[in-house]
Amino acid sequence: MGLGTWYDAHVMPRLIRCVCGTGQVMKRRSAIVPLARGDVFELGCGGGINQEFYDVNAITSFAGIDPHGALLENARETAQVKGWPADLREGIGEDIPFPSSFFDTVVCTFTLCSVQEPGRVLSEMHRILRPGGQVLFLEHGRSPDTDVAKWQDRIEPVWKRMAGGCHLTRPIGSAFRGAGFEVEPMGQGYLPKAPKFAMWNEWGVARRPGI
């Protein structure tokens, strides 16, 4: 096993769970995840970090995918402890293994930064949602501040190698609009006590138009 493979298998999952589970991040998750309703799909469900925030009384079914086996096992263990059925599969957002118009809610938190083809992933989320369905998103991406954005451009090549393919410069709200969603912003801003280059956040609801 090479150093890179060992890092991806053993260090990176722990790093992601640590960074994505800090107090301020969890506070923002707690504001968006409980809005999930009906048949729910979570993109990047590995680690199970969001599961504590779901309102089980509002959810008919819960499913998700993650490309990382170790993180996926964490999510399955969390579901067992929570005591609810969960269809959690290994997979990628560019090819979501569920039928069209199957879900009422898609949950996407700190995930679009690391997918290989964000446009295709957004198209897949649009496909699996029923007309009128919602994407609940909480993502980090390109800062609107010119000076910070310049640093993001400089740091991103190294950052991607350290953080499992995470990008710093991807747009958020505008990307959903470009994919045919109607976006209802709930908030935006830098994560407190975190480097600005890494933590410009936007969160809200992106709806698939329809009934």
Side-chain angles (χ1 to χ4, degrees), residues 15 57 85 99 111 132 156 167 192-193 196 207:
L15 177 64
N57 295 318
T111 299
E156 185 174 81
H167 293 71
K193 301 179 181 179
K196 284 189 174 182
R207 298 190 188 279

Side-chain angles (χ1 to χ4, degrees), residues 84-144:
W84 68 338
D87 183 359
L88 306 180
R89 310 180 188 181
E90 190 164 344
I92 59 174
E94 291 84 354
D95 187 18
I96 298 175
F98 289 93
S100 299
S101 302
F102 194 75
F103 295 101
D104 301 296
T105 301
V106 171
V107 175
C108 183
T109 59
F110 298 104
T111 299
L112 289 177
C113 60
S114 60
V115 301
Q116 292 188 14
E117 300 178 68
R120 186 173 169 185
V121 174
L122 289 166
S123 178
E124 278 288 272
M125 288 194 285
H126 193 283
R127 178 186 65 81
I128 65 172
L129 275 174
R130 294 174 179 131
Q134 62 180 357
V135 179
L136 303 174
F137 68 90
L138 166 61
E139 295 288 339
H140 79 99
R142 190 169 192 85
S143 169

Side-chain angles (χ1 to χ4, degrees), residues 12-31:
M12 191 269 292
R14 295 179 183 179
L15 177 64
I16 290 176
R17 283 180 60 83
C18 178
V19 173
C20 292
T22 61
Q24 289 295 329
V25 172
M26 297 299 276
K27 182 178 179 179
R28 290 191 175 171
R29 290 181 190 275
S30 71

